[in-house]
Amino acid sequence: SERLLMGPGPSNPYPEVLKALSEPVLGHLDPEFIALLDQTNEHLRTVWQTDNSLTFPISATGSAGMEAAFVNFVKPGDCVVIGVNGVFGTRMCDVATRAGAEVVKVEEEWGRAIDPQRLLDAHPEPALIAVVHAETSTGIRNDIAPLGANKGNALLLVDCVTSLGGIPVLTDDWGIDIAYSGSQKCLGVPPGLSPVTISERAMEQLNPKPQSWYLDLNMIKDYVLGDGARAYHHTAPISMLYALHAGLETVLEEGLGETWARHQACGDFLHEQLPQLGFELWAQEGHRLPELTTVTLPEGLDDAEGRKILLERYGIEVGGGLGPVAGKVWRIGCMGHTARIENINRLLTALSEVKSELC
Ligand code: PLP
């Protein structure tokens, strides 16, 4: 059944994306497909706001983008500073440790942003500094620009899974060296691809033999950047690439600035309306994401029961809290095609009815 996806997971895909998914399948070395891939990467450069030639979608979800980022640029024993204020910073530490890094964690309370100076002061000469731009587990935006401006010799790695296409991500201006995202959030495409972008500076430090075969950029780059005669590396997920291409065209036809503004307007509206229904904003003021809002529940509203009614009766998915706030907050996503005022009004009406029934 059709759902209104207002959780932290996938958003509703754009209609053009759903249409693209049903297009006839081409071979992964077909010149027509290669042309579509090249154009997709060109569109990605615009969305990432970068000139990086190595900009393409990894054939797997956002976590594979995270893994590719670490295994390709961390060598065993490297010092890696990682900001941790939620689930995805925690996951970065696990991935980096498995890649052999000496991880220096900079922790902040969940629901609060990490002070960039703390990341910069954590180690005198780290190989890499990593942080999540939009922490989906808390609804917090961490500042990136000061890290790029003061990173010294370190590479700057940023998780943009929940930010790309929803709020400004200025890869080149902010001095980001390595970034990854996911297709399923603000880009309005189903889950399955992880757009990445890698600076020339990072490519000079590419690990010659990462422990992952599938994610080894030494090989993938030849397929992505090759001239007309591309060698097979793995069978590209053709239909998902059509979908991403269609999603990016939709965003660029609307205008990247306009898409950011639509997400911001939806976030502002939600942030204004939810407290009036007794749902208080939880994430630190000044660092709240428009595309992912965390709220505490009104007195008497049971987390599981409330979300069950929303899903089963109203067809609306919202997410529960994680970690220290499991059972205490909801996470309301408003991303990609879902980010429309009419969808927010539908949610607000449902929330008001559920609240009168349960509280
Ligand atoms: N990073 C962030 C900030 C995320 O929100 C997610 C997923 O929601 C991931 C990484 C992992 O992406 P995926 O679930 O697509 O593997």
Side-chain angles (χ1 to χ4, degrees):
S1 56
E2 187 148 350
R3 302 283 199 217
L4 175 55
L5 297 176
M6 299 196 77
S11 57
N12 293 98
Y14 288 114
E16 296 82 353
V17 166
L18 294 175
K19 193 163 155 279
L21 278 166
S22 61
E23 292 293 324
V25 174
L26 292 169
H28 60 284
L29 296 173
D30 186 311
E32 219 176 287
F33 173 70
I34 297 286
L36 178 128
L37 180 62
D38 284 344
Q39 198 177 48
T40 302
N41 295 344
E42 194 51 45
H43 289 344
L44 280 175
R45 274 186 275 277
T46 305
V47 172
W48 280 114
Q49 295 284 285
T50 185
D51 292 330
N52 291 339
S53 49
L54 196 60
T55 301
F56 71 99
I58 292 210
S59 305
T61 68
S63 303
M66 184 189 291
E67 190 136 11
F70 284 102
V71 298
N72 280 285
F73 298 100
V74 170
K75 294 173 206 76
D78 277 356
C79 170
V80 172
V81 171
I82 302 183
V84 180
N85 57 347
V87 166
F88 296 101
T90 308
R91 185 175 300 183
M92 277 183 163
C93 294
D94 190 3
V95 172
T97 305
R98 288 171 193 233
E102 295 292 332
V103 172
V104 176
K105 275 190 207 175
V106 175
E107 294 186 85
E108 183 49 272
E109 201 183 314
W110 287 35
R112 297 192 64 79
I114 304 172
D115 175 355
Q117 198 56 46
R118 290 189 55 219
L119 288 161
L120 294 165
D121 292 344
H123 192 276
E125 196 66 33
L128 199 142
I129 300 172
V131 71
V132 178
H133 186 207
E135 234 320 334
T136 326
S137 60
T138 63
I140 279 286
R141 179 186 50 75
N142 286 313
D143 287 331
I144 306 301
L147 298 174
N150 299 291
K151 66 188 173 184
N153 293 325
L155 292 175
L156 176 60
L157 188 168
V158 185
D159 176 319
C160 298
V161 170
T162 292
S163 55
L164 189 69
I167 56 174
V169 174
L170 309 183
T171 303
D172 290 355
D173 284 359
W174 292 350
I176 300 174
D177 293 291
I178 305 154
Y180 57 88
S181 186
S183 46
Q184 73 270 28
K185 312 253 191 212
C186 301
L187 297 176
V189 176
L193 291 176
S194 176
V196 297
T197 187
I198 317 283
S199 72
E200 308 297 331
R201 183 170 173 264
M203 284 309 282
E204 286 164 16
Q205 296 182 45
L206 181 59
N207 187 343
K209 199 81 178 171
Q211 26 108 295
S212 165
W213 183 91
Y214 188 65
L215 299 172
D216 183 349
L217 289 178
N218 294 284
M219 292 187 284
I220 299 176
K221 75 174 175 20
D222 293 337
Y223 177 77
V224 174
L225 302 175
D227 50 21
R230 316 250 175 138
Y232 160 79
H233 174 263
H234 65 274
T235 311
I238 308 296
S239 301
M240 272 306 296
L241 284 155
Y242 294 161
L244 179 62
H245 180 265
L248 294 168
E249 295 241 298
T250 307
V251 167
L252 297 181
E253 264 164 38
E254 180 180 8
L256 186 57
E258 284 73 10
T259 310
W260 293 338
R262 174 163 56 80
H263 283 82
Q264 190 62 52
C266 284
D268 290 347
F269 185 50
L270 259 176
H271 295 176
E272 177 198 301
Q273 295 292 316
L274 285 166
Q276 296 184 29
L277 291 175
F279 293 83
E280 296 301 333
L281 303 178
W282 178 68
Q284 183 186 350
E285 202 173 352
H287 288 270
R288 290 175 185 148
L289 294 168
E291 70 274 34
L292 200 283
T293 302
T294 39
V295 284
T296 55
L297 307 187
E299 189 75 30
L301 180 57
D302 180 72
D303 166 37
E305 196 184 1
R307 285 191 291 125
K308 185 164 182 273
I309 297 178
L310 276 181
L311 189 66
E312 292 179 356
R313 192 186 304 161
Y314 298 91
I316 303 176
E317 180 191 276
V318 300
L322 296 173
V325 282
K328 299 198 184 88
V329 305
W330 281 357
R331 290 177 300 149
I332 301 174
C334 202
M335 312 182 211
H337 183 51
T338 305
R340 314 264 169 209
I341 297 293
E342 61 267 29
N343 290 336
I344 297 178
N345 279 326
R346 192 175 140 189
L347 173 73
L348 293 170
T349 304
L351 286 178
S352 148
E353 290 176 14
V354 170
K355 192 188 150 197
S356 339
E357 188 177 321
L358 298 184
C359 297

